[in-house]
Amino acid sequence: MTTAPASRTRQRLRVRTARATGEDLLARLPRPDNALAWVRDGSGLVGWGEAARFEASGPDRFAEADRWWRDFTAAVDVQDEVGQPGCGPVAFVSMAFADEPGHSVLVVPEVVLGTRDGRSWVTTIGHATPSDVTPVRRPSTVRYSDGQLSVTDYRGAVATAVARMRDSELDKVVLAHDLLAVADVPIDHRFVLEGLARRYPECWVYAVDGLLGATPELLLRRTGELVDSRVLAGTTWPHDGMSDEELEAALLSSAKNLEEHDYAIRSLADTLKPFCTTMSVEGPSVLRLPNVSHLSSDVIGTLSGSPSLLRLGEALHPTAAVGGTPRAEAIRVIEELEGMDRGRYAGPVGWIDGNGDGELGIALRCARVEGNTARLFAGCGLVAESDPDSEVCEAHAKMRPMRDALEGR
């Protein structure tokens, strides 16, 4: 575990939020690397620079991160002229999927730009000022190779998991595999993010400490006493000879996909219920994206007490949508059959402000970018009726957003 240097955390940093003119958030990121972003359909937050940083691992990573963030925000002087969620001190968050050897991080930018409900603002920490934007760089070529778990091995893992579920060992498990991409030049984070935002405006486009992606799944949003979550489970993708309407009808009538979706909804609602005085579930409906369509439901609750976003995230993670049911058995099967370190893939990602409010998505449709290399991830929810060949096709479809963004298609 590491933090910012002691001399920087003991000083009372000045945090100032001022009104700004509306602007394209992603276009204001000044540098090709170390981007920080959480943007959906033009609204959200971007940041750069590093005023403070916290890293943690292990089963207590959420509690340690929450404690550090409370201490940090208690030691800064805040001047906020806007008063929106995401104003004042903000940390971008990316938590590891697994307890071990997971690496989680909170990054507090020196500069944050935000837009919400027609209002825009800029937050600076210390003496930081907005920077000039350098030209965006795109690669000429991108080459792919197997990651830690090849397509062939992934199909075998799926077949084994399905056999175990048919023997009633567990109800659902989510298995993933990875793919390596190597570009001819260092990958410009802004190029990838802009491509994702352009093609997937319905998704939350994110970047934290080299993890870039576009997630359709909101794990949790906390705004005061209100919380809401968007649960996605159950997937189809374009098939020759089928219209969008036919695909949607087939998804809504699929026993396999409805079962998978029901596990995810019940898992999240049952976990969130002890924190809430009221709760409602809306759905399922179908969320259409360019590469896939998902069954989607919204869970909305009113909090009792004031648990922070990170503590709520700790309770919910991993949901059945990215882990399985029952949770402990599913995690054990994931560790055994995947045989790879997911890192921060499928972990909570987003932002938190000084009031404990913020948004956490699930880090899906993503890649870990380092220099010229990107490690892409995709996974599928499996139940006893799952077909290994279909799940391989689904995982391939889910990697398309990152491949398109890397290549500029």
Side-chain angles (χ1 to χ4, degrees):
M1 177 180 67
T2 63
T3 66
S7 61
R8 297 178 69 178
T9 56
R10 289 186 189 137
Q11 296 172 359
R12 291 197 68 86
L13 292 172
R14 184 186 180 195
V15 180
R16 182 174 185 270
T17 299
R19 294 179 180 85
T21 57
E23 44 199 322
D24 183 342
L25 293 174
L26 294 175
R28 286 298 309 277
L29 288 168
R31 295 188 292 272
D33 55 5
N34 297 318
L36 296 163
W38 179 264
V39 176
R40 181 174 182 261
D41 199 18
S43 295
L45 303 170
V46 299
W48 59 87
E50 192 171 296
R53 177 186 188 91
F54 178 81
E55 300 176 6
S57 61
D60 298 326
R61 61 194 182 282
F62 286 90
E64 292 172 0
D66 186 60
R67 185 163 48 249
W68 178 84
W69 180 237
R70 290 175 185 271
D71 290 344
F72 180 87
T73 55
V76 297
D77 294 322
V78 180
Q79 181 183 348
D80 182 1
E81 301 173 2
V82 181
Q84 287 273 343
C87 294
V90 167
F92 285 81
V93 178
S94 182
M95 306 298 290
F97 175 81
D99 292 348
E100 299 295 344
H103 168 81
S104 303
V105 61
L106 274 64
V107 179
V108 183
E110 294 178 325
V111 179
V112 178
L113 297 180
T115 296
R116 175 192 292 267
D117 299 331
R119 293 185 178 183
S120 297
W121 63 89
V122 57
T123 299
T124 57
I125 295 184
H127 301 290
T129 58
S131 302
D132 293 333
V133 178
T134 63
V136 175
R137 176 181 59 220
R138 66 175 296 161
S140 299
T141 60
V142 180
R143 293 184 172 85
Y144 298 92
S145 60
D146 283 341
Q148 292 183 21
L149 187 65
S150 69
V151 173
T152 300
D153 290 339
Y154 178 65
R155 188 195 180 285
V158 170
T160 300
V162 169
R164 292 187 181 183
M165 284 182 286
R166 290 175 179 172
D167 290 337
S168 301
E169 187 174 323
L170 70 166
D171 298 318
K172 175 187 174 181
V173 66
V174 181
L175 291 183
H177 78 107
D178 58 338
L179 181 71
L180 290 182
V182 180
D184 60 326
V185 294
I187 297 168
D188 191 318
H189 295 189
R190 300 166 302 174
F191 178 73
V192 176
L193 295 172
E194 288 168 2
L196 291 170
R198 184 171 59 253
R199 289 180 54 82
Y200 299 89
E202 309 92 341
C203 295
W204 287 268
V205 173
Y206 60 89
V208 183
D209 200 43
L211 187 72
L212 281 60
T215 182
E217 191 149 359
L218 182 69
L219 176 65
L220 197 68
R221 177 191 293 117
R222 180 189 187 271
T223 309
E225 63 178 11
L226 298 178
V227 290
D228 64 284
S229 176
R230 177 197 277 179
V231 179
L232 305 180
T235 304
T236 190
W237 55 94
H239 292 72
D240 291 340
M242 292 186 70
S243 67
D244 289 342
E245 291 72 21
E246 289 170 329
L247 284 168
E248 182 173 324
L251 185 58
L252 284 168
S253 62
S254 165
K256 179 263 183 187
N257 284 293
L258 289 169
E259 180 185 18
E260 180 187 341
H261 190 77
D262 185 58
Y263 283 136
I265 285 291
R266 285 192 285 114
S267 170
L268 186 136
D270 289 348
T271 306
L272 193 57
K273 191 176 296 182
F275 297 95
C276 295
T277 57
T278 64
M279 180 177 293
S280 62
V281 179
E282 300 176 0
S285 60
V286 175
L287 173 66
R288 291 184 189 174
L289 300 172
N291 61 320
V292 293
S293 294
H294 299 287
L295 289 175
S296 172
S297 293
D298 293 324
V299 179
I300 303 167
T302 303
L303 289 172
S304 59
S306 55
S308 76
L309 182 74
L310 286 170
R311 297 312 294 264
L312 291 168
E314 177 181 27
L316 292 175
H317 176 74
T319 68
V322 292
T325 305
R327 180 188 288 187
E329 287 80 354
I331 296 303
R332 178 180 55 78
V333 170
I334 289 170
E335 291 173 348
E336 176 188 350
L337 297 184
E338 279 186 3
M340 68 176 187
D341 177 14
R342 287 188 175 189
R344 290 177 282 137
Y345 162 72
V349 62
W351 62 273
I352 185 170
D353 68 15
N355 295 319
D357 292 337
E359 296 173 298
L360 292 176
I362 299 177
L364 305 173
R365 319 295 197 271
C366 65
R368 177 75 173 95
V369 177
E370 295 182 274
N372 296 49
T373 303
R375 184 183 178 206
L376 286 65
F377 297 88
C380 300
L382 311 175
V383 293
E385 293 75 25
S386 295
D387 172 68
D389 291 328
S390 293
E391 301 303 334
V392 168
C393 292
E394 180 180 328
H396 177 77
K398 287 177 176 178
M399 283 187 179
R400 180 179 147 197
M402 283 305 305
R403 294 186 66 160
D404 287 347
L406 287 167
E407 297 170 30
R409 287 191 283 184

